Amino acid sequence: MNNKRINRISEEVKKTTSYIISNDLKDPRISPMTSVTHVEVTRDLRYAKVYISVLGKEKDKEDTIKGLKSAKGFIRKEIGNKINLRYVPEPVFQLDESIEHGIYMSKLIDKVNKKDKRGNTDE
């Protein structure tokens, strides 16, 4: 299967999964600050690695992943209802720390810039 098709399917699975998580799931363990950052569908369409970002405490992240794993069957069924595929990939949820890492790096850069402005009076 060519890469263009896999990329299109990955993007559709991402949109659909994001919609399902935000609108269809009623599990209280799933944080309202949950977003789907990226989806990678395998070439044989058997699995979809779904990267989830959760803003909040470590417990919120763990609970959200547990809630999503328990709702995996429902999410897969809904993906099958919304996307016309011969075989619906099984979602595999993984926590994505990239957004929080970016926020942390941005804070560090701001902190260094403030120190540099205070210490640099030659200009």
Side-chain angles (χ1 to χ4, degrees), residues 50-73:
V50 182
Y51 293 94
I52 302 292
S53 177
V54 181
L55 290 178
K57 298 180 179 156
E58 199 62 36
K59 177 144 177 44
D60 295 337
K61 295 175 186 180
E62 292 171 8
D63 288 346
T64 298
I65 293 296
K66 286 179 187 174
L68 290 172
K69 285 182 179 178
S70 71
K72 181 175 18 179

PDB file of all heavy atoms in Angstrom, residues 50-73:
ATOM      1  N   VAL A  50      -2.028   5.684  18.421  1.00  0.00           N
ATOM      2  CA  VAL A  50      -2.661   6.979  18.672  1.00  0.00           C
ATOM      3  C   VAL A  50      -1.917   7.667  19.808  1.00  0.00           C
ATOM      4  O   VAL A  50      -1.887   7.171  20.935  1.00  0.00           O
ATOM      5  CB  VAL A  50      -4.152   6.800  19.040  1.00  0.00           C
ATOM      6  CG1 VAL A  50      -4.811   8.152  19.261  1.00  0.00           C
ATOM      7  CG2 VAL A  50      -4.887   6.013  17.962  1.00  0.00           C
ATOM      8  N   TYR A  51      -1.292   8.805  19.493  1.00  0.00           N
ATOM      9  CA  TYR A  51      -0.549   9.563  20.494  1.00  0.00           C
ATOM     10  C   TYR A  51      -1.483  10.584  21.137  1.00  0.00           C
ATOM     11  O   TYR A  51      -2.098  11.402  20.450  1.00  0.00           O
ATOM     12  CB  TYR A  51       0.646  10.264  19.859  1.00  0.00           C
ATOM     13  CG  TYR A  51       1.691   9.295  19.366  1.00  0.00           C
ATOM     14  CD1 TYR A  51       1.697   8.853  18.041  1.00  0.00           C
ATOM     15  CD2 TYR A  51       2.657   8.802  20.230  1.00  0.00           C
ATOM     16  CE1 TYR A  51       2.644   7.953  17.598  1.00  0.00           C
ATOM     17  CE2 TYR A  51       3.614   7.900  19.789  1.00  0.00           C
ATOM     18  CZ  TYR A  51       3.596   7.482  18.474  1.00  0.00           C
ATOM     19  OH  TYR A  51       4.543   6.587  18.043  1.00  0.00           O
ATOM     20  N   ILE A  52      -1.577  10.505  22.468  1.00  0.00           N
ATOM     21  CA  ILE A  52      -2.503  11.322  23.231  1.00  0.00           C
ATOM     22  C   ILE A  52      -1.721  12.290  24.102  1.00  0.00           C
ATOM     23  O   ILE A  52      -0.779  11.901  24.784  1.00  0.00           O
ATOM     24  CB  ILE A  52      -3.383  10.423  24.145  1.00  0.00           C
ATOM     25  CG1 ILE A  52      -4.156   9.405  23.323  1.00  0.00           C
ATOM     26  CG2 ILE A  52      -4.302  11.247  25.016  1.00  0.00           C
ATOM     27  CD1 ILE A  52      -5.216   9.993  22.429  1.00  0.00           C
ATOM     28  N   SER A  53      -2.140  13.553  24.097  1.00  0.00           N
ATOM     29  CA  SER A  53      -1.551  14.551  24.969  1.00  0.00           C
ATOM     30  C   SER A  53      -2.599  14.956  26.002  1.00  0.00           C
ATOM     31  O   SER A  53      -3.740  15.254  25.648  1.00  0.00           O
ATOM     32  CB  SER A  53      -1.120  15.774  24.167  1.00  0.00           C
ATOM     33  OG  SER A  53      -0.613  16.763  25.030  1.00  0.00           O
ATOM     34  N   VAL A  54      -2.197  14.947  27.264  1.00  0.00           N
ATOM     35  CA  VAL A  54      -3.098  15.306  28.355  1.00  0.00           C
ATOM     36  C   VAL A  54      -2.420  16.387  29.181  1.00  0.00           C
ATOM     37  O   VAL A  54      -1.334  16.174  29.715  1.00  0.00           O
ATOM     38  CB  VAL A  54      -3.415  14.092  29.257  1.00  0.00           C
ATOM     39  CG1 VAL A  54      -4.380  14.483  30.364  1.00  0.00           C
ATOM     40  CG2 VAL A  54      -3.969  12.937  28.448  1.00  0.00           C
ATOM     41  N   LEU A  55      -3.054  17.547  29.263  1.00  0.00           N
ATOM     42  CA  LEU A  55      -2.519  18.611  30.108  1.00  0.00           C
ATOM     43  C   LEU A  55      -3.066  18.412  31.509  1.00  0.00           C
ATOM     44  O   LEU A  55      -4.271  18.268  31.707  1.00  0.00           O
ATOM     45  CB  LEU A  55      -2.904  19.985  29.568  1.00  0.00           C
ATOM     46  CG  LEU A  55      -2.232  20.399  28.273  1.00  0.00           C
ATOM     47  CD1 LEU A  55      -2.732  21.750  27.822  1.00  0.00           C
ATOM     48  CD2 LEU A  55      -0.730  20.433  28.427  1.00  0.00           C
ATOM     49  N   GLY A  56      -2.170  18.370  32.457  1.00  0.00           N
ATOM     50  CA  GLY A  56      -2.588  18.166  33.832  1.00  0.00           C
ATOM     51  C   GLY A  56      -1.541  17.412  34.612  1.00  0.00           C
ATOM     52  O   GLY A  56      -0.392  17.287  34.190  1.00  0.00           O
ATOM     53  N   LYS A  57      -1.978  16.883  35.745  1.00  0.00           N
ATOM     54  CA  LYS A  57      -1.075  16.146  36.627  1.00  0.00           C
ATOM     55  C   LYS A  57      -0.843  14.743  36.100  1.00  0.00           C
ATOM     56  O   LYS A  57      -1.565  14.255  35.225  1.00  0.00           O
ATOM     57  CB  LYS A  57      -1.668  16.099  38.029  1.00  0.00           C
ATOM     58  CG  LYS A  57      -1.823  17.468  38.639  1.00  0.00           C
ATOM     59  CD  LYS A  57      -2.417  17.395  40.013  1.00  0.00           C
ATOM     60  CE  LYS A  57      -2.517  18.814  40.561  1.00  0.00           C
ATOM     61  NZ  LYS A  57      -3.522  18.954  41.560  1.00  0.00           N
ATOM     62  N   GLU A  58       0.168  14.104  36.670  1.00  0.00           N
ATOM     63  CA  GLU A  58       0.527  12.744  36.249  1.00  0.00           C
ATOM     64  C   GLU A  58      -0.636  11.771  36.443  1.00  0.00           C
ATOM     65  O   GLU A  58      -0.866  10.897  35.625  1.00  0.00           O
ATOM     66  CB  GLU A  58       1.757  12.286  37.044  1.00  0.00           C
ATOM     67  CG  GLU A  58       2.491  11.144  36.422  1.00  0.00           C
ATOM     68  CD  GLU A  58       3.056  11.454  35.048  1.00  0.00           C
ATOM     69  OE1 GLU A  58       3.507  12.584  34.793  1.00  0.00           O
ATOM     70  OE2 GLU A  58       3.038  10.538  34.196  1.00  0.00           O
ATOM     71  N   LYS A  59      -1.403  11.931  37.510  1.00  0.00           N
ATOM     72  CA  LYS A  59      -2.547  11.060  37.770  1.00  0.00           C
ATOM     73  C   LYS A  59      -3.605  11.222  36.676  1.00  0.00           C
ATOM     74  O   LYS A  59      -4.216  10.240  36.244  1.00  0.00           O
ATOM     75  CB  LYS A  59      -3.152  11.357  39.139  1.00  0.00           C
ATOM     76  CG  LYS A  59      -4.392  10.541  39.436  1.00  0.00           C
ATOM     77  CD  LYS A  59      -4.488  10.161  40.866  1.00  0.00           C
ATOM     78  CE  LYS A  59      -5.731   9.405  41.231  1.00  0.00           C
ATOM     79  NZ  LYS A  59      -6.155   8.363  40.368  1.00  0.00           N
ATOM     80  N   ASP A  60      -3.834  12.459  36.225  1.00  0.00           N
ATOM     81  CA  ASP A  60      -4.788  12.707  35.133  1.00  0.00           C
ATOM     82  C   ASP A  60      -4.367  11.963  33.876  1.00  0.00           C
ATOM     83  O   ASP A  60      -5.194  11.391  33.171  1.00  0.00           O
ATOM     84  CB  ASP A  60      -4.897  14.205  34.832  1.00  0.00           C
ATOM     85  CG  ASP A  60      -5.490  14.999  35.981  1.00  0.00           C
ATOM     86  OD1 ASP A  60      -6.206  14.402  36.806  1.00  0.00           O
ATOM     87  OD2 ASP A  60      -5.224  16.219  36.046  1.00  0.00           O
ATOM     88  N   LYS A  61      -3.069  11.986  33.591  1.00  0.00           N
ATOM     89  CA  LYS A  61      -2.550  11.307  32.397  1.00  0.00           C
ATOM     90  C   LYS A  61      -2.764   9.801  32.495  1.00  0.00           C
ATOM     91  O   LYS A  61      -3.242   9.172  31.543  1.00  0.00           O
ATOM     92  CB  LYS A  61      -1.056  11.614  32.223  1.00  0.00           C
ATOM     93  CG  LYS A  61      -0.764  13.058  31.950  1.00  0.00           C
ATOM     94  CD  LYS A  61       0.716  13.299  31.923  1.00  0.00           C
ATOM     95  CE  LYS A  61       0.994  14.789  31.802  1.00  0.00           C
ATOM     96  NZ  LYS A  61       2.412  15.076  31.761  1.00  0.00           N
ATOM     97  N   GLU A  62      -2.416   9.231  33.649  1.00  0.00           N
ATOM     98  CA  GLU A  62      -2.578   7.786  33.835  1.00  0.00           C
ATOM     99  C   GLU A  62      -4.038   7.378  33.736  1.00  0.00           C
ATOM    100  O   GLU A  62      -4.371   6.375  33.098  1.00  0.00           O
ATOM    101  CB  GLU A  62      -1.999   7.371  35.195  1.00  0.00           C
ATOM    102  CG  GLU A  62      -0.502   7.490  35.286  1.00  0.00           C
ATOM    103  CD  GLU A  62       0.026   7.281  36.698  1.00  0.00           C
ATOM    104  OE1 GLU A  62      -0.772   6.882  37.582  1.00  0.00           O
ATOM    105  OE2 GLU A  62       1.223   7.513  36.909  1.00  0.00           O
ATOM    106  N   ASP A  63      -4.916   8.144  34.398  1.00  0.00           N
ATOM    107  CA  ASP A  63      -6.346   7.821  34.364  1.00  0.00           C
ATOM    108  C   ASP A  63      -6.909   7.927  32.957  1.00  0.00           C
ATOM    109  O   ASP A  63      -7.730   7.104  32.539  1.00  0.00           O
ATOM    110  CB  ASP A  63      -7.126   8.749  35.305  1.00  0.00           C
ATOM    111  CG  ASP A  63      -6.875   8.437  36.771  1.00  0.00           C
ATOM    112  OD1 ASP A  63      -6.327   7.353  37.067  1.00  0.00           O
ATOM    113  OD2 ASP A  63      -7.229   9.279  37.619  1.00  0.00           O
ATOM    114  N   THR A  64      -6.481   8.937  32.208  1.00  0.00           N
ATOM    115  CA  THR A  64      -6.959   9.117  30.833  1.00  0.00           C
ATOM    116  C   THR A  64      -6.544   7.936  29.962  1.00  0.00           C
ATOM    117  O   THR A  64      -7.372   7.388  29.217  1.00  0.00           O
ATOM    118  CB  THR A  64      -6.435  10.438  30.246  1.00  0.00           C
ATOM    119  OG1 THR A  64      -6.947  11.524  31.022  1.00  0.00           O
ATOM    120  CG2 THR A  64      -6.864  10.604  28.801  1.00  0.00           C
ATOM    121  N   ILE A  65      -5.292   7.510  30.062  1.00  0.00           N
ATOM    122  CA  ILE A  65      -4.826   6.373  29.264  1.00  0.00           C
ATOM    123  C   ILE A  65      -5.591   5.105  29.658  1.00  0.00           C
ATOM    124  O   ILE A  65      -6.008   4.330  28.797  1.00  0.00           O
ATOM    125  CB  ILE A  65      -3.298   6.189  29.406  1.00  0.00           C
ATOM    126  CG1 ILE A  65      -2.560   7.370  28.761  1.00  0.00           C
ATOM    127  CG2 ILE A  65      -2.841   4.874  28.792  1.00  0.00           C
ATOM    128  CD1 ILE A  65      -2.759   7.512  27.253  1.00  0.00           C
ATOM    129  N   LYS A  66      -5.814   4.893  30.966  1.00  0.00           N
ATOM    130  CA  LYS A  66      -6.590   3.728  31.411  1.00  0.00           C
ATOM    131  C   LYS A  66      -8.009   3.773  30.860  1.00  0.00           C
ATOM    132  O   LYS A  66      -8.548   2.759  30.406  1.00  0.00           O
ATOM    133  CB  LYS A  66      -6.628   3.658  32.938  1.00  0.00           C
ATOM    134  CG  LYS A  66      -5.344   3.206  33.558  1.00  0.00           C
ATOM    135  CD  LYS A  66      -5.458   3.195  35.075  1.00  0.00           C
ATOM    136  CE  LYS A  66      -4.114   2.896  35.718  1.00  0.00           C
ATOM    137  NZ  LYS A  66      -4.175   3.020  37.181  1.00  0.00           N
ATOM    138  N   GLY A  67      -8.633   4.946  30.898  1.00  0.00           N
ATOM    139  CA  GLY A  67      -9.993   5.106  30.374  1.00  0.00           C
ATOM    140  C   GLY A  67     -10.058   4.838  28.877  1.00  0.00           C
ATOM    141  O   GLY A  67     -10.991   4.192  28.394  1.00  0.00           O
ATOM    142  N   LEU A  68      -9.075   5.328  28.142  1.00  0.00           N
ATOM    143  CA  LEU A  68      -9.052   5.116  26.693  1.00  0.00           C
ATOM    144  C   LEU A  68      -8.807   3.649  26.355  1.00  0.00           C
ATOM    145  O   LEU A  68      -9.424   3.111  25.431  1.00  0.00           O
ATOM    146  CB  LEU A  68      -7.980   5.993  26.045  1.00  0.00           C
ATOM    147  CG  LEU A  68      -8.279   7.491  26.028  1.00  0.00           C
ATOM    148  CD1 LEU A  68      -7.070   8.278  25.543  1.00  0.00           C
ATOM    149  CD2 LEU A  68      -9.495   7.790  25.178  1.00  0.00           C
ATOM    150  N   LYS A  69      -7.934   3.000  27.117  1.00  0.00           N
ATOM    151  CA  LYS A  69      -7.682   1.580  26.862  1.00  0.00           C
ATOM    152  C   LYS A  69      -8.923   0.739  27.135  1.00  0.00           C
ATOM    153  O   LYS A  69      -9.188  -0.223  26.421  1.00  0.00           O
ATOM    154  CB  LYS A  69      -6.494   1.094  27.691  1.00  0.00           C
ATOM    155  CG  LYS A  69      -5.171   1.573  27.144  1.00  0.00           C
ATOM    156  CD  LYS A  69      -3.991   1.064  27.935  1.00  0.00           C
ATOM    157  CE  LYS A  69      -2.692   1.559  27.312  1.00  0.00           C
ATOM    158  NZ  LYS A  69      -1.513   1.115  28.084  1.00  0.00           N
ATOM    159  N   SER A  70      -9.689   1.119  28.148  1.00  0.00           N
ATOM    160  CA  SER A  70     -10.905   0.349  28.435  1.00  0.00           C
ATOM    161  C   SER A  70     -11.998   0.624  27.396  1.00  0.00           C
ATOM    162  O   SER A  70     -12.876  -0.211  27.197  1.00  0.00           O
ATOM    163  CB  SER A  70     -11.419   0.645  29.841  1.00  0.00           C
ATOM    164  OG  SER A  70     -11.951   1.935  29.918  1.00  0.00           O
ATOM    165  N   ALA A  71     -11.937   1.764  26.735  1.00  0.00           N
ATOM    166  CA  ALA A  71     -12.934   2.103  25.713  1.00  0.00           C
ATOM    167  C   ALA A  71     -12.448   1.772  24.308  1.00  0.00           C
ATOM    168  O   ALA A  71     -13.080   2.167  23.323  1.00  0.00           O
ATOM    169  CB  ALA A  71     -13.271   3.593  25.800  1.00  0.00           C
ATOM    170  N   LYS A  72     -11.345   1.035  24.196  1.00  0.00           N
ATOM    171  CA  LYS A  72     -10.732   0.750  22.899  1.00  0.00           C
ATOM    172  C   LYS A  72     -11.710   0.076  21.930  1.00  0.00           C
ATOM    173  O   LYS A  72     -11.771   0.431  20.760  1.00  0.00           O
ATOM    174  CB  LYS A  72      -9.491  -0.125  23.106  1.00  0.00           C
ATOM    175  CG  LYS A  72      -8.782  -0.459  21.838  1.00  0.00           C
ATOM    176  CD  LYS A  72      -7.483  -1.215  21.969  1.00  0.00           C
ATOM    177  CE  LYS A  72      -7.202  -1.921  23.234  1.00  0.00           C
ATOM    178  NZ  LYS A  72      -5.907  -2.633  23.189  1.00  0.00           N
ATOM    179  N   GLY A  73     -12.483  -0.878  22.407  1.00  0.00           N
ATOM    180  CA  GLY A  73     -13.435  -1.578  21.546  1.00  0.00           C
ATOM    181  C   GLY A  73     -14.505  -0.647  21.008  1.00  0.00           C
ATOM    182  O   GLY A  73     -14.853  -0.690  19.820  1.00  0.00           O
TER     183      GLY A  73
END
